[in-house]
């Protein structure tokens, strides 16, 4: 929202890419325990740091 308020297209584009990467990670099964237990108690999950690493890795790919 900050990008829209400031008319900053670079920030807007970055935010959209970050949001898309987060959604893609979860849809591919990479999620933290709080989300995984909503699917099933036996669903595999990542620690917070592992999830952030997955986001970081996928975001770097999306930005390049």
């Amino acid at each position: 929202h900050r990008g829209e308020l400031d008319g900053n297209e670079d920030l807007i584009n970055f935010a959209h890419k970050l949001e898309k990467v987060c959604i893609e990670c979860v849809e591919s099964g990479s999620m933290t325990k709080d989300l995984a237990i909503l699917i099933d108690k036996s669903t595999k999950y990542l620690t917070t740091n592992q999830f952030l690493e997955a986001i970081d890795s996928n975001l770097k790919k999306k930005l390049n």
Side-chain angles (χ1 to χ4, degrees):
H1 187 68
R2 181 78 254 171
E4 292 171 1
L5 291 175
D6 294 343
N8 185 333
E9 286 300 317
D10 289 336
L11 182 56
I12 293 168
N13 290 335
F14 175 79
H16 287 301
K17 288 177 184 176
L18 178 58
E19 179 180 30
K20 185 172 179 156
V21 165
C22 291
I23 292 168
E24 289 171 352
C25 277
V26 172
E27 287 178 343
S28 72
S30 298
M31 63 190 89
T32 53
K33 184 177 182 179
D34 59 323
L35 297 174
I37 60 174
L38 295 173
I39 297 169
D40 188 272
K41 290 184 180 185
S42 64
T43 301
K44 294 182 181 180
Y45 58 88
L46 303 174
T47 65
T48 300
N49 285 339
Q50 290 170 326
F51 180 68
L52 291 174
E53 288 171 6
I55 296 287
D56 181 53
S57 174
N58 291 333
L59 182 59
K60 285 178 180 173
K61 292 174 190 173
K62 185 81 66 185
L63 293 175
N64 290 329

